[in-house]
Amino acid sequence: MIQLKDITLVIWDWNGTLLDDVAVCVDSINMLLNERQLTPLDKTLYQQIFTFPVKDYYEKAGFNFGEEPFEIPAMQFMDLYRTNLNQAALHQETISVLKQLQSLGLKQAILSAMEQELLVDLLQRYQIADYFDQTFGIDNHFGAGKIERGKELIHSMKLNPNECLLIGDTLHDAEVAKSIGCRCLLFDGGHQSRIRLETSGHAVLSNLNELFAL
């Protein structure tokens, strides 16, 4: 059982966990699917097939990388995502949870499969950058994963992984937590369904405030 008194660092995923951007992602990918005369996704199907590496999710959505390289729709998606991002907001409880953890004296960090420069820009845009001691994104827009970046984060902060808690919204977050040796909670308000998340064996939150009721 996870208790915050045993935790020194909370590692947050960004997309879907703190930022409620699922609708923006579904709308953006559907624009690309429609251009290719492929069947669009609804939110339920999206949450059933979204995965890391993101290239695998694109294939499940119907993209044919024998006809075009993955990098083409991936960059088109990012252009649409950036354009439509003004429609996304932080989850309702995001700021209050960050404030409460800060008041408890816990360190906080971001670990994301989003490109680093864009990630830093968005944290500033949503006015929450000051809550985080470290911000670790990746060096491209192709969403292959973040295991190595997670290891780098733990090493840079010189912390015992067992005193770290990773909170994310995908099974990849559980994989990252296992790889770096830290604890894990998952959140069903993001990019994968609760049914999928429960297969990880980790506790699944429906509201980030449930973190304080464990």
Side-chain angles (χ1 to χ4, degrees):
M1 182 176 178
I2 295 172
Q3 295 187 342
L4 287 179
K5 67 180 180 62
D6 300 323
I7 301 301
T8 302
L9 170 70
V10 176
I11 304 170
W12 291 100
D13 171 60
W14 171 236
N15 300 92
T17 303
L18 296 177
L19 180 67
D20 185 6
D21 65 347
V22 172
V24 172
C25 290
V26 173
D27 289 345
S28 298
I29 202 70
N30 280 341
M31 291 180 191
L32 301 183
L33 291 169
N34 287 331
E35 287 176 359
R36 292 159 174 80
Q37 298 182 321
L38 297 171
T39 304
L41 308 176
D42 60 19
K43 180 180 177 181
T44 299
L45 180 55
Y46 171 82
Q47 290 177 318
Q48 289 173 354
I49 68 172
F50 182 81
T51 193
F52 287 94
V54 170
K55 182 178 180 180
D56 293 350
Y57 144 64
Y58 275 61
E59 289 181 318
K60 291 179 181 179
F63 290 88
N64 184 343
F65 298 133
E67 296 180 354
E68 63 177 341
F70 163 64
E71 290 77 10
I72 291 177
M75 292 308 298
Q76 290 174 336
F77 172 85
M78 284 308 305
D79 289 342
L80 291 168
Y81 178 84
R82 287 175 185 255
T83 299
N84 297 327
L85 195 55
N86 60 353
Q87 301 171 31
L90 298 174
H91 281 288
Q92 185 175 359
E93 64 273 19
T94 291
I95 292 179
S96 64
V97 169
L98 295 177
K99 283 183 177 178
Q100 190 165 349
L101 290 172
Q102 187 179 64
S103 72
L104 292 172
L106 276 70
K107 295 180 181 296
Q108 299 183 80
I110 291 277
L111 176 61
S112 175
M114 176 174 275
E115 189 273 330
Q116 178 76 19
E117 185 176 340
L118 176 58
L119 176 61
V120 170
D121 176 67
L122 291 179
L123 294 179
Q124 293 172 343
R125 186 188 309 181
Y126 286 98
Q127 300 181 337
I128 59 172
D130 290 344
Y131 289 105
F132 304 106
D133 297 274
Q134 294 281 1
T135 300
F136 273 59
I138 62 175
D139 63 0
N140 60 73
H141 292 291
F142 303 132
K146 55 187 182 182
I147 289 176
E148 292 306 314
R149 289 293 278 163
K151 293 177 180 178
E152 292 170 13
L153 189 160
I154 294 294
H155 179 74
S156 73
M157 299 192 73
K158 298 179 173 60
L159 295 172
N160 179 350
N162 195 48
E163 296 177 358
C164 301
L165 170 63
L166 191 155
I167 304 175
D169 68 318
T170 70
L171 293 174
H172 183 57
D173 291 299
E175 294 170 351
V176 173
K178 182 178 180 179
S179 294
I180 64 180
C182 74
R183 308 184 193 198
C184 182
L185 290 173
L186 298 176
F187 171 58
D188 71 2
H191 292 270
Q192 290 184 342
S193 68
R194 186 179 187 91
I195 291 175
R196 292 180 69 191
L197 297 179
E198 287 177 340
T199 65
S200 70
H202 294 291
V204 180
L205 310 177
S206 292
N207 184 297
L208 296 178
N209 283 313
E210 293 174 9
L211 172 64
F212 303 105
L214 295 172

